[in-house]
Amino acid sequence: MSGRMPGERGGRRDALRELTARHAERGAPLAAALERARSGTAQAPGTWAPRAAEAVGLPAAAGLGPATFFADLAAPRGERHVRVCTATACFAARGGKHLAEVERELGVAAGTVDEAGATSLQAVHCLGYCYAGPAALDGALPRAGPDLADQLGGRTEPRAPGVPAADTTGEPVLLAGILGGRSARDVWRRAVAGLRPEDVRQEVGVSGLRGRGGAGFPVADKWAAAAGRPDTVVVANGDEGDPGSYADRLLMEEDPERVLAGLALACFACGARRGIVLVRSEYPEAATRLRREVERAAEAGDLAPSAGTAGPAPYVEIAEGAGSYVAGEETALIARLEGARGCARPRPPYPTDHGLWDAPTVVNNVETLAAVPWIVAHGGTAYARRGVPDETGTKLVCLSERFARPGAYEVELGTPVDEIVTRYGGGLKGGRELVALQIGGPLGGFLAGNALHVPLTTAALAEHGAALGHAGTVAFDDGIDPHELLRHVWEFAADESCGACSPCRVGSRRGLELARDRKGPGESYGQLARLMGEASLCAFGRRVPAAVRSLARAYGPALEGWNR
């Protein structure tokens, strides 16, 4: 540990966090106890969360906090629990009409359970079926397609197509196992047998690899900040929450070996004996396949079977989220792993100094880690030759259901967006007009359909008011009402704000109120947008006004007044 008691972050003492660390063995028993209690009742958290906390030796507040914060715990749950996606790609597929259709079919409104406690319905933001939406999870079973309500009602055959994936580079990095059948485990075995941690860090540094989760921080720099320090932990962030992106789901489900090999290499490079993969709860199949792969790797000696036997081969655990977009931010993710509410924390201190229970913690996105085996096998220089000089390598770009050829495409960074849309995506289905394109999820931005001559890089997209993010790409045709899309964006912001800071908590709700009134935002909106953009605690609140501004630019006069 760091010398401080758990709960003393940078000199600030958190008594509840300290108590959780002492009595709940790093929060895992509390999270499990809350999930068990939730699954057995349709009652509100106030009736069962305090008892769940007391069962693991914690005060009621320790249970009530996360139980009322996370959507999966707070939502009523019947014997049959259906989660229907209302995120951006599914909204674009049917203009949002599918939710009402599902409600009528099941006879229950979203966010409620029927009187008999038999069926409950929960609206969620993204299930990773953006290429085939609208989508739902019936229990853990996925359903997707325009006849979603009929599938849930048993009138049509259930469907859940796999992710279409293609390489456009000639030699895939991220899809090397899925399309090329190349083993990532062999790379890990050779590395641990013949390389030093500094060798791995050096190759990744030479490669120029940056985080693929949105922030774009140099990976080697993050590893160096925590390398060789006692109790360092590496977390693979699989809480892919950007609506429109399903790259992490593809990798975790179809090539879990590569994800775990990348995590093991990161642990080796940092001197960490413990790794964690945090999988969002909306990806139940990903969690199942990762657990199965961890068992196989431990049996083969590639991962440690227990924390006590960890060494160069780390001990890896699989943890699950509970329904929160903001909990994908690294400090909020750490709070989730500690059993707390998934709220962002002020920085500094940074997780590499004081992360999970104050241990040095490296958080890397799943796609980031999936690139590491290729870099170690082929060398950092080979990777650096791909992409563009300041943004090297490849990226999985996910095209939504509106495209003629939706799916995940591995492209080199710098590929023009219009080439991705027309050459790979084939334009829109039925020759419909592309009016606007969202890139990078809710924290990304919108481009007008006739202004796509932009390289796929963080810098170039930023110049046009957008962002790379996870590179989820959602198309909007001429059948979408721009005012409804604006309302959808603000509704997402209001639903997913963690509430930790007033600018975002209050601003997102006020923005939604204004968006529901088609008369326009009024004079006060400019001040609200500036307050959110400058004073919000994390990138979520700061980016929402910019995303709205880019949407207004894409649609022009139809959304006049929102481009402030």
Side-chain angles (χ1 to χ4, degrees), residues 171-334:
E171 184 178 355
V173 172
L174 301 162
L175 299 177
I178 295 171
L179 299 180
R182 297 189 181 93
S183 171
R185 189 183 297 175
D186 290 343
V187 177
W188 160 238
R189 287 172 174 167
R190 291 194 298 269
V192 76
L195 297 178
R196 302 168 301 170
E198 52 265 38
D199 296 330
V200 176
R201 294 200 303 272
Q202 181 177 357
E203 290 301 328
V204 171
V206 169
S207 76
L209 177 66
R210 290 176 175 268
R212 298 300 191 225
F217 193 80
V219 173
D221 290 354
K222 183 179 283 191
W223 288 1
R229 298 169 64 183
D231 294 335
T232 294
V233 180
V234 179
V235 179
N237 184 355
D239 199 351
E240 176 185 52
D242 278 1
S245 178
Y246 43 90
D248 289 358
R249 188 191 135 225
L250 170 66
L251 292 168
M252 290 187 289
E253 290 186 3
E254 299 302 328
D255 199 358
E257 177 188 295
R258 187 164 304 276
V259 174
L260 293 177
L263 175 60
L265 286 163
C267 288
F268 181 68
C270 297
R273 294 171 177 262
R274 183 185 180 200
I276 302 171
V277 186
L278 191 284
V279 187
R280 62 197 314 257
S281 65
E282 294 88 348
Y283 293 173
E285 184 61 24
T288 297
R289 296 192 184 188
L290 282 164
R291 288 192 176 99
R292 192 179 302 144
E293 186 61 31
V294 166
E295 291 175 2
R296 281 200 290 259
E299 289 173 0
D302 296 312
L303 295 177
S306 65
T309 60
Y315 174 62
V316 173
E317 306 162 76
I318 307 300
E320 292 187 56
S324 168
Y325 175 82
V326 174
E329 189 273 340
E330 63 178 8
T331 63
L333 179 150
I334 288 168

